[in-house]
Amino acid sequence: MPKYDTVIGLEIHVALLTKSKLFCGCSTTFGGEPNSQCCPICLGLPGALPRLNERAVEYAIKAGLALNCTIHEISRFDRKNYYYPDLPKAYQITQEFYPLCTDGYLEYFYGDSLARTKITRIHLEEEAGKLIHSGASIIDSDYSLVDYNRAGIPLIEIVTAPDIRSPQQARIFLEQLRLLLNYIGVSDTKMEEGSLRCDANISLKPLGSTQLGTRVELKNLNSFRALERALTYEERRQGEILDRGDKVNQESRTWDERRGRTLPMRSKADALDYRFFPEPDLPRLKLRPGWVEEIKSTIPELPMERLSRYEREYGLSRYEATFFVNYPDFGQLCEKLAAMGWEGSRAANLLMGEYARLAREKGHLTPERLAGLLEIIEDGLISSNQTADVLEELFNSNLSAREIVLEKGWQVLADTDELQALIGEVLQGNVELVERYRAGETKLYGFFVGQVMRATEGKADPKIVNDLLRKELGT
Ligand SMILES: [Zn+2]
């Protein structure tokens, strides 16, 4: 029995997929020569003035709409002041007081139930540069290099309410959020390149209590796995502190992936006062009338809508529909096969099995070639356990499924007379076993089936074999 409720909130930074930076025309392409994508504005040189990127605002609004937020006609930029070598201006332009989007939510399936996590706010801000240390961290390095290519790339920060109840749910929420952002095309959400980053706060409170416990912030959660592991570790650590009757320290902790534990960060960062004030170089942001509606009309079908359409129109199970929603390339194939008249569950059966493994390795087959395979299964030309072999050949040759089977001589043996004769031989060769079977040793049945299949090199139609064999054995 757990003694505590776990309370988790997330802050997610998402790099927007614009061609240029938030306040200048510099390229946002990843992986360029260090410091080759900067200008006086993103380097914060004296006298350089920012100019807002309209596409970044559009993408932020699009994310806000997809997350059911209120989009504010008027918002404002503020300066967050602090010194760090990756921040050339010594302040970050963000939206502290009047964010662009507030009060939204994301719905998703968590286990069998529908969960809803509130989105407190989404605001626009600029990315910092990147430090490359000669050692493992800034403290034990002889020197650090700084690359400002990243400085000024547009970000949205998405902040959830403390609505999440477990480390597993946090992970699923983040996966669903990422999927949604991919669907609307505002970010490539590559965690490994830092275009999706997540911080979490977590606290425990006595079961059922309304009073929130002391919260700890977790940083450096660079993968879904790290998020879940760090929260799980922290949940246990805080539980043990409370069990002892001690108090949890309010602090920031970092996740040490290698050691599998959270460690306190130097507390100075917490004590910072950022001295926010309105950004004097930018006017307040006022959206032109009708723009939000225009953006709304460009939002495609979202994951949850697609999930229920797949269940409803194609009769897919929740599990199957989820697979196709999570892997839209597979979903598209399923839709094309359905459009050709194939039942959703037949298509799912084919696409989610051996095909998925092969396609991930070699790329997709055309829906026509897949339909050809479904057809010969339907015709009974091959049995379903031969599907994998035919698939393998489909990836390696230009022949159709039917041509492959005929050329290889893989067609199923469905000739009743021929099978009847074979069964007769098998039974005559095993007279003693047949008698034992008839005397009640029914587990021998599998042996007879095996003998027939072996005699036909596995090509006999299993249904016909069963029918004939049962008749012969008199059961
Ligand atoms: Zn620039």
Side-chain angles (χ1 to χ4, degrees):
M1 254 308 268
K3 283 177 280 185
Y4 307 106
D5 282 329
T6 302
V7 178
I8 297 169
L10 302 179
E11 282 179 21
I12 302 108
H13 286 91
V14 182
L16 299 177
L17 210 50
T18 56
K19 291 203 173 72
S20 57
K21 294 185 179 178
L22 186 53
F23 298 117
C24 62
C26 293
S27 166
T28 56
T29 309
F30 181 80
E33 186 75 8
N35 298 308
S36 64
Q37 294 160 208
C38 0
C39 72
I41 296 172
C42 54
L43 291 175
L45 301 188
L49 291 173
R51 231 178 85 186
L52 183 59
N53 180 337
E54 181 175 326
R55 185 53 63 86
V57 180
E58 179 192 323
Y59 282 179
I61 292 171
K62 208 166 177 176
L65 289 169
L67 288 165
N68 308 292
C69 288
T70 303
I71 312 297
H72 295 280
E73 193 193 342
I74 292 176
S75 62
R76 196 184 74 191
F77 289 95
D78 304 291
R79 284 191 185 180
K80 179 179 183 177
N81 298 280
Y82 67 98
Y83 174 75
Y84 207 66
D86 63 4
L87 191 71
K89 299 198 293 289
Y91 61 82
Q92 178 196 30
I93 303 179
T94 179
Q95 294 191 303
E96 176 69 7
F97 301 107
Y98 297 96
L100 183 58
C101 319
T102 58
D103 302 314
Y105 61 85
L106 176 65
E107 279 186 337
Y108 52 98
F109 282 105
Y110 174 44
D112 280 335
S113 57
L114 189 64
R116 175 186 282 208
T117 297
K118 285 198 207 92
I119 307 291
T120 310
R121 57 187 284 155
I122 303 176
H123 67 254
L124 270 165
E125 63 184 31
E126 56 179 345
E127 176 74 287
K130 191 177 179 186
L131 292 176
I132 300 136
H133 306 304
S134 68
S137 74
I138 196 165
I139 297 160
D140 50 31
S141 292
D142 293 332
Y143 63 89
S144 294
L145 300 171
V146 63
D147 177 6
Y148 290 120
N149 283 354
R150 220 177 61 171
I153 284 181
L155 300 178
I156 46 174
E157 180 175 333
I158 301 171
V159 182
T160 79
D163 276 357
I164 297 169
R165 290 288 165 265
S166 73
Q168 297 73 31
Q169 190 186 357
R171 179 194 178 124
I172 287 168
F173 167 83
L174 190 62
E175 286 170 349
Q176 292 305 308
L177 177 68
R178 181 189 182 185
L179 190 65
L180 180 91
L181 294 168
N182 285 333
Y183 267 53
I184 61 175
V186 299
S187 173
D188 63 17
T189 64
K190 289 182 182 158
M191 284 185 110
E192 63 283 7
E193 290 180 10
S195 52
L196 179 74
R197 302 194 297 272
C198 183
D199 297 334
N201 56 69
I202 171 168
S203 63
L204 301 188
K205 59 187 175 74
L207 220 53
S209 161
T210 51
Q211 184 114 36
L212 286 177
T214 308
R215 65 181 218 172
V216 165
E217 286 201 43
L218 298 178
K219 312 264 187 194
N220 192 27
L221 310 172
N222 294 327
S223 65
F224 293 111
R225 194 173 116 88
L227 172 70
E228 186 174 341
R229 283 181 73 205
L231 286 169
T232 304
Y233 177 88
E234 194 56 26
E235 191 178 44
R236 202 184 63 221
R237 189 187 71 88
Q238 292 184 20
E240 285 166 8
I241 292 172
L242 296 176
D243 281 349
R244 289 198 301 268
D246 290 341
K247 279 186 178 162
V248 172
N249 265 345
Q250 182 164 355
E251 61 184 351
S252 294
R253 297 174 72 89
T254 182
W255 171 242
D256 185 329
E257 180 77 47
R258 203 168 46 83
R259 283 187 273 183
R261 54 175 304 184
T262 65
L263 298 166
M265 293 171 80
R266 297 204 305 166
S267 57
K268 222 172 77 189
D270 278 343
L272 270 178
D273 176 355
Y274 294 116
R275 313 206 70 126
F276 286 100
F277 66 83
E279 167 58 56
D281 289 340
L282 287 165
R284 58 181 195 166
L285 172 58
K286 185 163 191 282
L287 307 181
R288 64 168 185 269
W291 196 29
V292 173
E293 284 306 310
E294 270 170 47
I295 296 169
K296 199 179 231 168
S297 71
T298 69
I299 292 185
E301 183 181 44
L302 297 178
M304 284 299 275
E305 295 161 359
R306 189 170 293 178
L307 186 75
S308 56
R309 180 168 64 87
Y310 281 177
E311 289 180 357
R312 195 179 60 239
E313 282 183 15
Y314 302 149
L316 296 179
S317 68
R318 173 74 42 81
Y319 176 75
E320 292 164 338
T322 302
F323 174 86
F324 289 124
V325 169
N326 289 348
Y327 304 102
D329 48 335
F330 286 85
Q332 215 168 41
L333 272 179
C334 181
E335 293 200 31
K336 289 197 175 134
L337 289 170
M340 293 173 173
W342 291 101
E343 224 175 278
S345 61
R346 301 286 287 277
N349 210 349
L350 177 62
L351 295 174
M352 292 170 68
E354 182 69 3
Y355 176 77
R357 189 185 69 77
L358 290 165
R360 285 198 178 107
E361 219 174 90
K362 308 181 178 189
H364 284 291
L365 296 175
T366 63
E368 289 73 23
R369 285 169 74 69
L370 285 164
L373 176 53
L374 285 172
E375 229 169 76
I376 61 169
I377 300 171
E378 172 113 327
D379 289 353
L381 190 63
I382 58 168
S383 68
S384 55
N385 52 24
Q386 289 170 290
T387 312
D389 291 334
V390 181
L391 264 175
E392 186 95 38
E393 287 300 315
L394 276 173
F395 278 97
N396 294 330
S397 85
N398 292 320
L399 298 178
S400 72
R402 190 175 297 273
E403 287 163 344
I404 289 167
V405 168
L406 295 178
E407 182 170 285
K408 299 263 180 192
W410 284 347
Q411 58 271 45
V412 93
L413 194 53
D415 183 321
T416 313
D417 292 340
E418 199 175 328
L419 286 173
Q420 180 87 55
L422 252 170
I423 287 170
E425 279 171 36
V426 167
L427 299 186
Q428 272 160 29
N430 295 282
V431 178
E432 191 204 336
L433 291 175
V434 172
E435 291 197 344
R436 274 165 57 191
Y437 176 86
R438 288 192 173 128
E441 214 175 312
T442 51
K443 66 173 196 282
L444 285 169
Y445 183 73
F447 168 80
F448 300 123
V449 175
Q451 290 297 306
V452 177
M453 294 312 276
R454 184 189 289 179
T456 61
E457 293 171 315
K459 288 191 287 188
D461 183 320
K463 189 180 173 312
I464 301 178
V465 171
N466 274 309
D467 289 350
L468 293 174
L469 200 51
R470 287 185 194 282
K471 212 185 294 166
E472 285 297 311
L473 289 167
T475 47

